[in-house]
Amino acid sequence: QKEKRNLIDTMVELLPADKNRLLQTIGHIADEMNVNAFLIGGVVRDLWLHRKNEDIDITIEGDGIAFARAAAKTLGGSLYTHDSFLTAKIVLSSGQHIDIATARAEYYDAPSSLPKVVRSNLREDLYRRDFTINAMAIHLNEASFGTLVDPFGGEKDLTNGKIRVLHNLSFIEDPTRILRALRFEQKFGYILSEDTLRFAKKAEPAIIRLSTDRIKAECTRLFEEVTAVATFQRMYELELLSAFIPFASWSLSSKRMLENLENRASMGNIPDVALFIPLFAFQGQLQHLSRFALTKSENQLLNSFSRLKILNEPTLSSLGSLHENIHDIENTPLLIFEKYVEISKNQDFALLIKEYRKKRHHIPSLLTGDDLRALNLTPGPQYKHYLLRSECLWIEGKISNREEALQWLHSRVK
Ligand code: ATP
């Protein structure tokens, strides 16, 4: 039999000394209580890969809650328990969190019902997870401290750079795992195993049943770690783009626009929903995107973009006519529109919008309501008209100061 790998040296190298001591103490408490304790989750994979990760997720073969109670006493932290989930959390005085779970299996009484949770062994606990590379554990009991437990071949998949599900119904059970898979592919430069790819392609009916808010939440999470361009490109390659995002289409134009927007998004300048716009705008399918705009401000953004898109260019051929027609549109949709126009190959129009976007911030208040009152104009819509017109003239360089503005006003109001 192959000798089991021990990761103790890596743990000493990558984890701070206090975390290593903590893990040893957890092993001792487990010995005393005659249960098995394991470090599990992404941290095991990351230790194997020599990547920094200090999450402490513990699984106990035995009563996890009783274990957590004893550990909180020894370590001196506050204990929070979730009895129905068989899990607990200890928050140490240093602020560190330790998540402790009872090794458990989940059973579904009926499809789509909530799973029943029952105490089980480590193997079954790991079997509930998403991919082999995330289904490994490190034994913490003293006699085997640091030993890698790898029942599903995670180590081999890490060596070969493969993302592999644990069973053929995994994506049907939870299609958001496909999005997780895309994240891991990009993050580690890995690739789905052949089987896993086939299962993903067969999961379309389950993907279609996912709610839009879950898809959006998972995409937002993806965009924190990998680019939206890579995500959509890969969804397209897997022929799953329109399953996750109905009516979306992927083209060179969408890709280029998205690349442009993504730089801004990473600076926090535009919200995530904007990253979906390039999937719809070029095919005239924007109305289908509204299902992904769940907040009021996201809806406003989409409405403004749609409004810009239907304005026809001849009416917007000068800075003044731009200001007249779209002065109430916020900067973000305008910026997105500019990127759209740029890709739609109308460079001159894109440059004009860019110039307008910059200039509109510097429009001075050349006239006031008092100036209009002094001319005996009755307050009402015409006030707004004159003030806006004077702004349009300024932005076109036709007037440049208050004097010229007053001159213009007097020539108009006679
Ligand atoms: P990581 O920390 O592994 O980089 P992560 O931030 O996605 O990824 P979590 O979401 O906290 O980690 O998940 C922790 C562990 O729980 C994962 O390693 C994975 O094995 C498991 N897990 C998370 N989501 C799912 C899911 N949808 N299906 C199955 N297992 C999951």
Side-chain angles (χ1 to χ4, degrees):
Q1 203 190 342
K2 197 177 99 185
E3 200 182 314
K4 285 189 172 166
R5 182 179 298 276
N6 192 299
L7 290 174
I8 195 163
D9 292 341
T10 317
M11 290 163 80
V12 169
E13 188 185 332
L14 290 186
L15 299 176
D18 62 332
K19 285 243 158 93
N20 270 309
R21 274 197 301 277
L22 184 66
L23 293 175
Q24 277 167 350
T25 308
I26 287 171
H28 289 147
I29 301 170
D31 283 338
E32 273 165 27
M33 294 182 75
N34 210 14
V35 296
N36 279 311
F38 301 92
L39 182 65
I40 52 123
V43 64
V44 180
R45 171 204 69 216
D46 285 344
L47 281 168
W48 195 96
L49 289 169
H50 250 85
R51 289 171 78 109
K52 243 189 158 31
N53 182 340
E54 296 183 13
D55 285 350
I56 299 208
D57 280 324
I58 305 292
T59 287
I60 301 294
E61 271 184 335
D63 185 342
I65 294 194
F67 178 87
R69 214 168 274 129
K73 230 180 233 164
T74 309
L75 301 167
S78 322
L79 176 72
Y80 304 88
T81 61
H82 273 288
D83 295 321
S84 53
F85 291 117
L86 311 178
T87 61
K89 180 192 279 294
I90 300 174
V91 180
L92 301 178
S93 54
S94 62
Q96 274 181 37
H97 289 197
I98 308 170
D99 285 306
I100 297 178
T102 307
R104 59 205 194 275
E106 284 170 356
Y107 292 102
Y108 293 82
D109 277 349
S112 308
S113 62
L114 284 176
K116 285 222 163 87
V117 176
V118 292
R119 203 199 277 189
S120 180
N121 56 23
L122 179 71
R123 190 180 204 285
E124 286 214 51
D125 190 278
L126 295 175
Y127 193 61
R128 294 182 298 122
R129 285 160 202 278
D130 47 3
F131 307 111
T132 57
I133 60 167
N134 291 336
M136 302 188 296
I138 293 175
H139 211 157
L140 297 178
N141 293 62
E142 189 170 4
S144 26
F145 189 84
T147 307
L148 184 70
V149 184
D150 176 22
F152 305 110
E155 194 172 12
K156 184 159 165 252
D157 286 332
L158 282 173
T159 310
N160 297 328
K162 291 284 158 75
I163 309 290
R164 187 188 308 277
V165 284
L166 296 172
H167 57 86
N168 55 4
L169 293 179
S170 184
F171 290 147
I172 304 287
E173 260 173 32
D174 179 359
T176 62
R177 287 174 185 159
I178 298 173
L179 300 178
R180 292 177 61 84
L182 302 192
R183 176 156 61 93
F184 292 124
E185 272 196 338
Q186 299 297 324
K187 187 167 151 180
F188 299 125
Y190 286 6
I191 185 154
L192 295 178
S193 75
E194 250 174 63
D195 280 359
T196 303
L197 182 67
R198 226 165 4 92
F199 299 142
K201 288 188 170 170
K202 281 195 185 151
E204 194 165 334
I207 299 172
I208 289 166
R209 285 196 296 274
L210 275 175
S211 67
T212 13
D213 53 344
R214 273 201 77 195
I215 293 172
K216 192 167 157 221
E218 290 291 336
C219 283
T220 302
R221 178 132 186 242
L222 256 159
F223 301 160
E224 281 166 17
E225 291 194 69
V226 300
T227 66
V229 175
T231 304
F232 294 142
Q233 171 84 40
R234 191 70 176 127
M235 281 185 188
Y236 173 75
E237 283 165 11
L238 298 177
E239 294 170 19
L240 291 174
L241 181 66
S242 58
F244 279 108
I245 307 171
F247 299 97
S249 48
W250 188 241
S251 61
L252 198 57
S253 298
S254 14
K255 185 174 176 192
R256 284 180 47 215
M257 180 178 170
L258 188 56
E259 275 165 355
N260 242 321
L261 286 182
E262 198 150 38
N263 293 332
R264 309 274 179 157
S266 63
M267 294 186 288
N269 289 354
I270 59 167
D272 276 347
V273 74
L275 299 177
F276 290 75
I277 288 179
L279 301 176
F280 295 88
F282 297 97
Q283 308 288 332
Q285 299 283 359
L286 267 177
Q287 73 276 18
H288 296 293
L289 178 52
S290 54
R291 68 161 74 189
F292 282 96
L294 304 169
T295 67
K296 202 172 153 204
S297 68
E298 288 172 345
N299 267 311
Q300 270 167 356
L301 175 74
L302 290 189
N303 289 340
S304 299
F305 181 81
S306 305
R307 208 184 109 198
L308 287 167
K309 205 165 161 282
I310 56 174
L311 284 172
N312 66 8
E313 273 170 47
T315 63
L316 302 176
S317 56
S318 67
L319 290 172
S321 62
L322 275 175
H323 189 60
E324 184 148 3
N325 286 289
I326 63 175
H327 59 94
D328 59 328
I329 289 203
E330 306 222 358
N331 277 323
T332 305
L334 193 53
L335 171 70
I336 299 168
F337 183 61
E338 180 190 311
K339 299 295 165 202
Y340 168 76
V341 173
E342 220 171 79
I343 304 295
S344 317
K345 303 230 182 346
N346 194 338
Q347 300 301 329
D348 289 344
F349 190 33
L351 284 173
L352 189 71
I353 296 170
K354 187 176 193 151
E355 194 184 348
Y356 171 60
R357 218 169 30 81
K358 296 210 162 127
K359 277 202 166 152
R360 75 200 303 221
H361 295 300
H362 304 291
I363 298 176
S365 316
L366 298 177
L367 298 176
T368 67
D370 287 344
D371 298 326
L372 300 167
R373 257 187 297 279
L375 290 171
N376 290 326
L377 283 171
T378 23
Q382 56 178 348
Y383 269 44
K384 214 170 144 201
H385 165 78
Y386 284 117
L387 295 177
L388 181 61
R389 278 304 304 152
S390 72
E391 289 181 356
C392 293
L393 289 171
W394 179 87
I395 209 165
E396 289 201 329
K398 293 187 174 145
I399 57 174
S400 57
N401 54 38
R402 179 168 160 75
E403 228 169 55
E404 289 171 8
L406 283 169
Q407 242 174 38
W408 165 79
L409 183 64
H410 288 199
S411 72
R412 299 306 296 271
V413 186
K414 280 234 176 91

